[in-house]
Amino acid sequence: MRMRRDDGARRAPGELEAQVLAVLWKADGPLAPAEVRERLGADLAYTTVVTILSRLHEKGVAEREKLGRSFRYRAVDDEPGLAARRMTKVLDAEPDRDSVLARFVSSLSESDEHVLRELLRQNEG
């Protein structure tokens, strides 16, 4: 059964994972599931939060460390790092990576192209 918000509407796919990730990004260090649940401020079952954290760990988006009998979680990357990981996964799944990159670059705005050129220059040195 899918979870419903207080207003009766269903959550969009991945919405709860995104909210949990946002909590992990804002944290100064690793958090226990109870701390994540508290910071979400939502009426969620503890087991729901543990399930979401476990899924994020399985996806490689969060890492966990054992503390006593439970785990504490932290985000592996910040938001831009996570987006970069997604982009890399898409490229890795394509048989003609060069063509995909060429199409991507040709569709960039002038300002994005300028940023990309500058980043490439910085990485050459």
Short mmCIF file of all heavy atoms in Angstrom, two decimals, residues 31-35 46 50 64-73:
data_model
loop_
_atom_site.label_atom_id
_atom_site.label_comp_id
_atom_site.label_asym_id
_atom_site.label_seq_id
_atom_site.Cartn_x
_atom_site.Cartn_y
_atom_site.Cartn_z
N LEU A 31 23.48 10.69 10.53
CA LEU A 31 22.27 10.71 11.34
C LEU A 31 21.69 9.31 11.52
O LEU A 31 21.74 8.50 10.60
CB LEU A 31 21.20 11.58 10.68
CG LEU A 31 21.50 13.05 10.49
CD1 LEU A 31 20.38 13.72 9.70
CD2 LEU A 31 21.69 13.74 11.83
N ALA A 32 21.11 9.08 12.69
CA ALA A 32 20.36 7.85 12.94
C ALA A 32 18.98 8.01 12.30
O ALA A 32 18.50 9.13 12.10
CB ALA A 32 20.22 7.63 14.44
N PRO A 33 18.33 6.91 11.96
CA PRO A 33 16.99 6.99 11.37
C PRO A 33 16.01 7.82 12.21
O PRO A 33 15.22 8.60 11.65
CB PRO A 33 16.55 5.53 11.29
CG PRO A 33 17.82 4.77 11.15
CD PRO A 33 18.81 5.53 12.00
N ALA A 34 16.08 7.72 13.53
CA ALA A 34 15.19 8.51 14.39
C ALA A 34 15.44 10.01 14.21
O ALA A 34 14.50 10.81 14.22
CB ALA A 34 15.36 8.10 15.85
N GLU A 35 16.71 10.40 14.03
CA GLU A 35 17.03 11.80 13.82
C GLU A 35 16.51 12.29 12.47
O GLU A 35 16.01 13.41 12.35
CB GLU A 35 18.54 12.02 13.91
CG GLU A 35 19.11 11.76 15.29
CD GLU A 35 20.62 11.72 15.30
OE1 GLU A 35 21.22 11.01 14.46
OE2 GLU A 35 21.21 12.42 16.17
N TYR A 46 8.79 4.94 11.81
CA TYR A 46 10.24 4.74 11.91
C TYR A 46 10.70 3.74 10.85
O TYR A 46 11.72 3.95 10.20
CB TYR A 46 10.58 4.25 13.32
CG TYR A 46 12.04 3.91 13.52
CD1 TYR A 46 12.96 4.91 13.79
CD2 TYR A 46 12.48 2.59 13.42
CE1 TYR A 46 14.31 4.60 13.97
CE2 TYR A 46 13.82 2.28 13.59
CZ TYR A 46 14.73 3.29 13.87
OH TYR A 46 16.05 2.98 14.03
N VAL A 50 13.63 3.96 7.91
CA VAL A 50 14.70 2.96 7.80
C VAL A 50 14.71 2.35 6.39
O VAL A 50 15.77 2.17 5.79
CB VAL A 50 14.56 1.86 8.87
CG1 VAL A 50 15.50 0.70 8.61
CG2 VAL A 50 14.79 2.44 10.26
N ARG A 64 26.59 4.26 5.21
CA ARG A 64 26.19 4.08 6.60
C ARG A 64 27.34 3.53 7.40
O ARG A 64 28.23 2.87 6.88
CB ARG A 64 24.97 3.18 6.70
CG ARG A 64 25.19 1.76 6.25
CD ARG A 64 23.89 1.00 6.27
NE ARG A 64 24.12 -0.39 5.89
CZ ARG A 64 23.17 -1.24 5.60
NH1 ARG A 64 21.91 -0.86 5.64
NH2 ARG A 64 23.46 -2.47 5.28
N GLU A 65 27.31 3.85 8.68
CA GLU A 65 28.31 3.34 9.61
C GLU A 65 27.59 2.71 10.79
O GLU A 65 26.55 3.20 11.23
CB GLU A 65 29.25 4.46 10.06
CG GLU A 65 28.56 5.61 10.73
CD GLU A 65 29.49 6.79 11.00
OE1 GLU A 65 30.25 7.15 10.10
OE2 GLU A 65 29.42 7.31 12.13
N LYS A 66 28.12 1.63 11.24
CA LYS A 66 27.53 0.90 12.36
C LYS A 66 27.84 1.64 13.66
O LYS A 66 28.97 2.04 13.90
CB LYS A 66 28.10 -0.51 12.39
CG LYS A 66 27.43 -1.43 13.37
CD LYS A 66 26.34 -2.19 12.68
CE LYS A 66 25.92 -3.36 13.55
NZ LYS A 66 24.52 -3.64 13.44
N LEU A 67 26.81 1.82 14.47
CA LEU A 67 26.99 2.42 15.78
C LEU A 67 26.12 1.63 16.74
O LEU A 67 24.89 1.72 16.70
CB LEU A 67 26.58 3.90 15.78
CG LEU A 67 26.85 4.64 17.07
CD1 LEU A 67 28.36 4.74 17.32
CD2 LEU A 67 26.26 6.03 17.03
N GLY A 68 26.76 0.78 17.54
CA GLY A 68 26.00 -0.11 18.41
C GLY A 68 25.26 -1.14 17.58
O GLY A 68 25.84 -1.79 16.74
N ARG A 69 23.95 -1.20 17.77
CA ARG A 69 23.15 -2.16 17.01
C ARG A 69 22.46 -1.55 15.80
O ARG A 69 21.72 -2.23 15.10
CB ARG A 69 22.10 -2.79 17.92
CG ARG A 69 22.71 -3.63 19.03
CD ARG A 69 21.68 -4.36 19.83
NE ARG A 69 20.68 -3.44 20.39
CZ ARG A 69 19.50 -3.80 20.83
NH1 ARG A 69 19.13 -5.05 20.80
NH2 ARG A 69 18.67 -2.91 21.32
N SER A 70 22.69 -0.25 15.57
CA SER A 70 22.02 0.40 14.45
C SER A 70 23.03 1.10 13.56
O SER A 70 24.23 1.04 13.78
CB SER A 70 20.98 1.40 14.97
OG SER A 70 21.63 2.42 15.70
N PHE A 71 22.52 1.77 12.55
CA PHE A 71 23.36 2.48 11.59
C PHE A 71 23.08 3.97 11.66
O PHE A 71 22.00 4.41 12.05
CB PHE A 71 23.06 2.01 10.16
CG PHE A 71 23.51 0.62 9.85
CD1 PHE A 71 22.61 -0.42 9.82
CD2 PHE A 71 24.84 0.35 9.60
CE1 PHE A 71 23.01 -1.71 9.53
CE2 PHE A 71 25.27 -0.93 9.31
CZ PHE A 71 24.36 -1.97 9.28
N ARG A 72 24.09 4.74 11.26
CA ARG A 72 23.95 6.18 11.05
C ARG A 72 24.28 6.42 9.59
O ARG A 72 25.17 5.79 9.04
CB ARG A 72 24.89 6.95 11.98
CG ARG A 72 24.54 6.72 13.45
CD ARG A 72 25.45 7.45 14.39
NE ARG A 72 25.40 8.89 14.29
CZ ARG A 72 24.46 9.68 14.82
NH1 ARG A 72 23.46 9.14 15.48
NH2 ARG A 72 24.51 10.98 14.71
N TYR A 73 23.57 7.34 8.96
CA TYR A 73 23.66 7.56 7.52
C TYR A 73 24.13 8.96 7.19
O TYR A 73 23.86 9.91 7.90
CB TYR A 73 22.27 7.34 6.88
CG TYR A 73 21.77 5.93 6.99
CD1 TYR A 73 21.14 5.47 8.15
CD2 TYR A 73 21.92 5.04 5.94
CE1 TYR A 73 20.67 4.17 8.25
CE2 TYR A 73 21.45 3.73 6.03
CZ TYR A 73 20.83 3.32 7.19
OH TYR A 73 20.38 2.03 7.28
#
